[in-house]
Each structure stands twice: as C-alpha cells, then as structure tokens.
Amino acid sequence: MSNAIEYANVPTQHRYNGQVFPQIVVNNDGCKTVEETVMFIQQNQAELEAQLAISGALLFRGFPLNSAETFDIFSAGFGYANFTYKESLSNAVRINFTERVFTANEAPKDVEIFLHHEMAQTPISPSKVFFYCQSAADEGGATPLCRSDKLFEALKAENPTLASDFAEKGLKYTTTMPAADDANSGQGRSWKSTLSVESTAEGEAKLKELGYSWEWLEDGSLRAVTPVLPAVIDLGDGSHSFYNQLIAAYMGWKGVRENPSSAITFGDGSAIPKEGLERIAELSQQFTFDLEWQDGDVALVDNYRAMHGRRPFSGERKRQVLVALVAAER
C-alpha cells in the first residue's frame, strides 16, 4: 500500500497566498479497508495537521467508508479527544448513532443553515468538526465552508471601527429553549436536553456556573443570555478569526433580521448596526467554498479558522451527513 498523500484540485477551490482551500486528499487505491485508512492517517498525521492549520479544511475523498461505524473508526484514528453532543450547550436537534457520531442539524430540507462556527454561541465549543457524507442529496445540500480569518481581514480593511468593536466588546447571545423537544425546528432542543438537567433548580445551577443570566417564560420555556463571548479570536499565527454565530443568527434565527438585538448584541449590551450585519453576510460569500458532497466523503474542518453551514436540498434521496466533534485542548 502506498502511504504518500495524494492531493487533488478542483476549479472552484480558493487560493490564498498560494494555499488552496479546502485541501483535497484522495485515496490512490492504497487504502482498501478502514483499518488501512487509519494506518494511512497515522503515518501522515503530521503533514495532514500542517495542511489543516494552513487551509482550515481537509476533504478526504474515495476512502472506504460506508457507515456511521466506519466513520467513527476513521475519526477516532486521529487520536483526538471526543466532544460528545450531550455535553454541548447547543439547542439544535441531533440524533446519535454512536457515542462519537451524530446527525448534522435535523432542520427540514428546505431550510438553509447559515454560516457559523460550531457552538460559538456557547461557552464550550469544539476545536474541530468531522463531517461524513453517508448519502448525498439528489439536488443541493452542499456544505458551504467559509474562511473566517479572511472575512475578518476584509472587514477590518473596509470598516476598521466595526472590526475593532467586535474584537474589543465581544458578543452576548440570547436564546429561547422550549419546554419540550421540537423536532420540527432546527433549534428545537428543550432546555432539559440542552443543559443535561432534569429540573428547574438543576437548570439554574448549571446556567449560574456557566455565567448565564436567564428568565423563565409563561409557557415553561427558558430565555437565556450568555456571558460575554468572543466575536474575534487570535489564531496564533498573526491572523484573527471572526469566531461567532452572527451570520447564522442574523440570517436564520427566528425574528432576528427584524430585530437583531433580540438575539445578538455587543458584549456591553449595545446594538450591533444592522447594516454591519448585512455587510458581513455579503462579504462572507467571497470567502465561501461550496462542498458538493459525494457518498463516502469526510471533511475535517478547523472550527477556529473556518465556518460551515448547509444549503437547502431536494429530491427523493435522503441526505445523510454525520458529525463527530473534537474537544478543545484543555
């Protein structure tokens, strides 16, 4: 079996300072089994991680993966610490296949999930995200990937005042968690599920520990406001990433486009200018690559450098994209 990494290029890849985004790793027929694939990863891990750090995303294509279980073995092969969905504070609806592997957001197929960093609207977020395409949609269903470091660079050049407000003030997010799970909503996980608690007292203790403020609503749902979270992070290589959920919140969360402050404010509670949010959503398109899935593909995304989303899809074939998350290094 050949152990050298073989890269592929497609015309739609982005190029930044001579580096491609995303980097595409293809199986040169050297890996016939998932075990051989794991061996290939481990032998080339230093180079793969160096490429990921530069590019922000790696796409593995043509490897012998055909189930949640083989994806579990593949993602575990990197040796990263697991970040289970149960321990997350996301209120998106997911379904677990294995402890490590669960479905991507279960929102209806005509709903667009806009660009975001995974769980950046919570105090605990993963460092990397693995996506696995078990079955691609007939039409649509691409996963857009956006270079947040390039987006912030462009924002800083165009509107330095707004860029420095984000960097200095940070953000607060307000979310409403329903009293019971709502499978028809992309954000339909109940407060009990989201907080991994059984009672209001336990819920309040958890929120207090994490620095949230909160309010119980008449229908039994919970409105919670995060502590101040970063809007921009230092990537340690001289670049900064626009690390947040602003685009997803503004473009996709219910009622936010009409009243952004209902869900997102600067860390000091002041309003984010609506025209700034519009412009950021527009600018992001320049740095976004649409990953058109093929069955068996795996993408490894650096959650600090690249955002992701989901395009709407159609057709009879069920689009099934599974996820495994990597815990941040403590």
Side-chain angles (χ1 to χ4, degrees):
M1 130 183 181
S2 166
N3 291 319
I5 301 177
E6 190 174 313
Y7 297 106
N9 290 309
V10 296
T12 51
Q13 267 166 312
H14 293 208
R15 281 175 169 70
Y16 301 112
N17 309 324
Q19 296 292 336
V20 296
F21 168 71
Q23 188 69 263
I24 302 172
V25 178
V26 290
N27 184 8
N28 56 8
D29 292 333
C31 299
K32 305 286 189 197
T33 64
V34 69
E35 291 75 21
E36 286 179 352
T37 304
V38 168
M39 203 183 305
F40 163 80
I41 288 162
Q42 290 169 347
Q43 287 169 345
N44 291 289
Q45 192 156 350
E47 185 184 333
L48 291 168
E49 287 179 341
Q51 290 289 347
L52 179 65
I54 296 163
S55 176
L58 301 177
L59 172 63
F60 295 86
R61 179 158 279 172
F63 289 88
L65 303 175
N66 56 13
S67 65
E69 291 69 28
T70 52
F71 171 51
D72 189 306
I73 294 164
F74 175 93
S75 57
F78 285 78
Y80 298 140
N82 188 23
F83 182 113
T84 64
Y85 192 66
K86 193 174 184 307
E87 70 194 278
S88 81
L89 294 163
S90 169
N91 58 340
V93 177
R94 311 289 179 99
I95 299 163
N96 266 82
F97 280 76
T98 70
E99 190 191 12
R100 179 186 302 275
V101 173
F102 49 89
T103 56
N105 193 310
E106 288 289 287
K109 59 187 178 182
D110 58 339
V111 171
E112 172 140 9
I113 298 168
F114 292 94
L115 291 167
H116 60 282
H117 287 277
E118 190 67 20
M119 299 176 197
Q121 81 287 18
T122 76
I124 310 162
S125 56
S127 60
K128 299 177 183 71
V129 185
F130 286 95
F131 293 100
Y132 161 62
C133 180
Q134 184 147 309
S135 60
D138 287 328
E139 289 289 330
T143 290
L145 299 172
C146 174
R147 280 287 293 266
S148 289
D149 52 344
K150 300 300 174 189
L151 171 58
F152 188 67
E153 212 174 274
L155 178 65
K156 203 171 166 184
E158 189 177 292
N159 191 334
T161 306
L162 184 60
S164 82
D165 279 348
F166 282 123
E168 288 163 23
K169 295 179 182 178
L171 298 169
K172 282 185 177 179
Y173 301 85
T174 301
T175 53
T176 302
M177 306 171 207
D181 289 329
D182 176 6
N184 294 318
S185 164
Q187 298 290 321
R189 204 173 173 218
S190 72
W191 60 263
K192 285 184 179 177
S193 299
T194 302
L195 299 171
S196 301
V197 295
E198 291 299 326
S199 66
T200 54
E202 280 179 22
E204 289 185 358
K206 181 83 171 270
L207 290 166
K208 188 177 177 185
E209 180 194 324
L210 292 163
Y212 281 74
S213 57
W214 66 88
E215 174 191 0
W216 294 101
L217 304 181
E218 280 182 17
D219 63 0
S221 60
L222 172 67
R223 182 182 292 138
V225 182
T226 64
V228 179
L229 297 175
V232 178
I233 58 169
D234 185 336
L235 293 173
D237 62 355
S239 62
H240 291 80
S241 176
F242 197 57
Y243 184 76
N244 53 61
Q245 284 257 358
L246 279 185
I247 295 172
Y250 179 66
M251 300 292 288
W253 293 7
K254 195 175 175 183
V256 179
R257 233 183 281 198
E258 295 73 27
N259 177 17
S261 294
S262 65
I264 42 175
T265 63
F266 284 120
D268 61 5
S270 60
I272 302 165
K274 195 176 163 99
E275 61 277 13
L277 292 166
E278 290 281 352
R279 183 61 186 139
I280 287 160
E282 233 171 66
L283 263 181
S284 68
Q285 294 169 32
Q286 295 177 26
F287 308 104
T288 298
F289 168 90
D290 267 18
L291 170 48
E292 305 283 357
W293 290 109
Q294 294 179 14
D295 291 3
D297 282 351
V298 173
L300 172 55
V301 178
D302 177 343
N303 193 40
Y304 299 139
R305 196 176 291 276
M307 286 189 270
H308 63 272
R310 189 200 73 183
R311 302 292 187 200
F313 59 97
S314 59
E316 293 304 305
R317 196 166 196 248
K318 182 173 168 60
R319 177 193 188 271
Q320 184 104 67
V321 173
L322 307 182
V323 177
L325 302 178
V326 175
E329 289 175 16
R330 304 265 184 241

